[in-house]
Amino acid sequence: MRSNYPNFFLERLKNLFGSNFNKVIAAYSRKPTKAIRINTTKVGVNRCLSRLRAKGYVLSKVPWSNYIFFLMREPKPISTTVEYLMGYFYVLDPASTLPPIELSPSQNDLVLDMAASPGGKTTHLSQLMNNKGTIVAVDSNKERLDSLKNNIERMGAQNVIVLNADSRNLQKIGVQFDKILLDAPCSSDGTMAKNPELRKKIKKEDYARFQKLQKSLVKSAYNLLKKGGILVYSTCSTAPEENEEVVEFAVNELGFKLLPLKIGKYIDKGMVSFFGQKHSQFLSKCGRVVPFKYNTQAFFLAKLVKV
Amino acid sequence: MVLKQVNPREFKWMDSILPGVTKLFSGKVVLYDDESKKVFLASKGVYNVLSKLHIPVEWIGVFFAEVGEEIKFGFYVAEKYSKFGKKRVVVTKFGEEKFLYRRNLTKKYISSFSNDISKGDIVVVTNKFNEALGFGKAMFSSEEGIKEGTLVKNILDRGFFVKH
């Protein structure tokens, strides 16, 4: 099982996860549990559940939300059901539902989603805002915009403006935002259960390359936020270089303040010490989802305020 | 996108295709993209943000229709229009499945229809829950009733979202 991974990666995981190393590797070898997020702007939770259960789907509530459910049994692909086509739910990794919940936008907010495709988080934000306020959803990849637009239409999100742009270059966009979601491009090394091909592709130098991109995106987010505005930063990486170190940069170099997570009780704390070095204590306010806890992808998130 | 704000009255001819459809413009800003020939609806809040942006946009608010030689209404229109109870064909469970696979509808797939349909009309196709599955073109009239052959030609169905 371990021979499928490059040695440097196994050493990293041992270093980061210590006694939980075997659990992480085991989780990477299992099929991850999917979830559905019921679109409460279109359908009631109970109605959607009863229709899906009548078709043989087995669903179990996640601990952090009453409209998100683990998909425990799927008699046929759930994305072929009429309920899916009607936009009654979105299929996704359970951990990826956390950033919009943590950002918690209100109905009056102007929100920026800096890396929006394929739209799972954009449409979740729209749902939380009850289709009010405005979301500006940005993606630099033109090809990925079709899936974003299709999901916006399927889910009935009505408050979204889509831009094809590089979020590092939005200085002249003309508005400042109350809240920003940055689910940053990353090495995705936390998704190896879903994307086993990454095991062979991942390289040591990926972490530094992505960190450079992530820092420039966080800097852009700082400039685009109103004073007092909130940024939720997330990745599907296990690497502290892409997670805690980026947050440390945001606090120490840019002047963000790190806030505690309201969903913190459901997940692990950020790392304050890694690869033999001690880092800022405040990093414990960040959150990590280890893949074996809920059989999801590994995930990281942090909430920052522009002071 | 080359957007212009339009007076909803300019699209009154849409009402000749789906009677009353421009009621859906109420409280919204109607925007027309001269390049893609698409009509979008935006809330005043969304429009206010849009008017301040200095970057070209790809999508705004709600896709309403594409206006070419023929008009192609979007899923938002199907969903809202189905609540009007007009120009509506209700399909059976099996008919729902067929229609979502891009199929036309014959008699055995239709369970009921509204009494205002003329041959050639655009109709909203719904299931028994009045959930709008898409649009079709009626090949029958309510007055004549349904007989053999293709009765509704599939124009647009939500099966699109499996394929895309």
Side-chain angles (χ1 to χ4, degrees), chain A residues 2-157:
Chain A
R2 291 175 195 183
S3 62
N4 293 333
Y5 300 90
N7 283 335
F8 88 89
F9 184 68
L10 292 172
E11 286 307 312
R12 284 178 64 89
L13 291 186
K14 275 181 198 162
N15 206 313
L16 291 172
F17 294 103
S19 58
N20 285 325
F21 168 74
N22 285 330
K23 289 184 187 171
V24 174
I25 291 295
Y28 278 174
S29 307
R30 284 194 296 266
K31 199 176 167 190
T33 307
K34 287 191 281 192
I36 65 163
R37 166 176 56 81
I38 295 177
N39 183 2
T40 50
T41 65
K42 281 198 153 196
V43 67
V45 170
N46 289 337
R47 181 160 182 246
C48 185
L49 287 177
S50 65
R51 283 177 61 164
L52 291 173
R53 283 173 176 153
K55 292 178 179 181
Y57 294 92
V58 177
L59 298 138
S60 143
K61 198 176 85 59
V62 302
W64 58 86
S65 166
N66 55 14
Y67 58 87
I68 300 166
F69 294 81
F70 293 117
L71 181 55
M72 311 305 289
R73 184 172 173 271
E74 190 179 17
K76 67 173 193 172
I78 199 163
S79 58
T80 61
T81 59
V82 68
E83 290 78 11
Y84 172 87
L85 299 174
M86 292 305 300
Y88 289 170
F89 58 85
Y90 196 101
V91 185
L92 70 183
D93 185 277
S96 67
T97 62
L98 295 170
I101 291 173
E102 194 56 56
L103 191 65
S104 189
S106 78
Q107 298 191 6
N108 300 317
D109 280 338
L110 174 54
V111 180
L112 175 65
D113 186 348
M114 293 180 82
S117 294
K121 294 178 188 72
T122 303
T123 54
H124 193 175
L125 292 168
S126 183
Q127 175 178 346
L128 291 167
M129 296 164 79
N130 201 22
N131 263 327
K132 305 284 194 313
T134 306
I135 301 166
V136 177
V138 181
D139 207 287
S140 60
N141 187 332
K142 185 103 180 163
E143 287 168 14
R144 283 164 57 90
L145 285 182
D146 281 345
S147 57
L148 173 62
K149 289 187 266 189
N150 288 338
N151 279 316
I152 287 171
E153 193 172 18
R154 182 176 65 84
M155 299 298 281

Side-chain angles (χ1 to χ4, degrees), chain B residues 10-115:
Chain B
E10 287 183 34
F11 285 118
K12 273 286 183 191
W13 60 271
M14 287 181 179
D15 282 332
S16 66
I17 299 163
L18 280 181
V21 73
T22 55
K23 284 180 188 163
L24 299 177
F25 291 161
S26 176
K28 307 270 191 198
V29 180
V30 185
L31 296 160
Y32 176 67
D33 173 23
D34 227 357
E35 281 181 348
S36 67
K37 313 292 180 202
K38 286 180 177 170
V39 179
F40 292 89
L41 303 186
S43 69
K44 285 176 181 145
V46 167
Y47 181 71
N48 186 34
V49 173
L50 178 74
S51 60
K52 291 177 187 164
L53 294 180
H54 299 151
I55 294 179
V57 302
E58 295 276 332
W59 178 277
I60 313 122
V62 174
F63 169 63
F64 190 83
E66 191 175 333
V67 185
E69 282 182 21
E70 288 184 328
I71 186 159
K72 293 177 186 165
F73 292 106
F75 292 107
Y76 171 83
V77 178
E79 199 171 319
K80 296 291 177 189
Y81 201 77
S82 67
K83 311 291 181 234
F84 291 10
K86 295 177 185 171
K87 308 280 183 192
R88 190 172 72 188
V89 171
V90 183
V91 292
T92 62
K93 188 167 168 41
F94 198 38
E96 169 185 288
E97 206 172 288
K98 291 286 176 192
F99 190 74
L100 290 173
Y101 276 97
R102 205 75 187 88
R103 302 285 176 80
N104 298 328
L105 298 173
T106 53
K107 188 175 179 178
K108 65 179 174 181
Y109 301 132
I110 294 174
S111 64
S112 63
F113 49 88
S114 60
N115 61 6

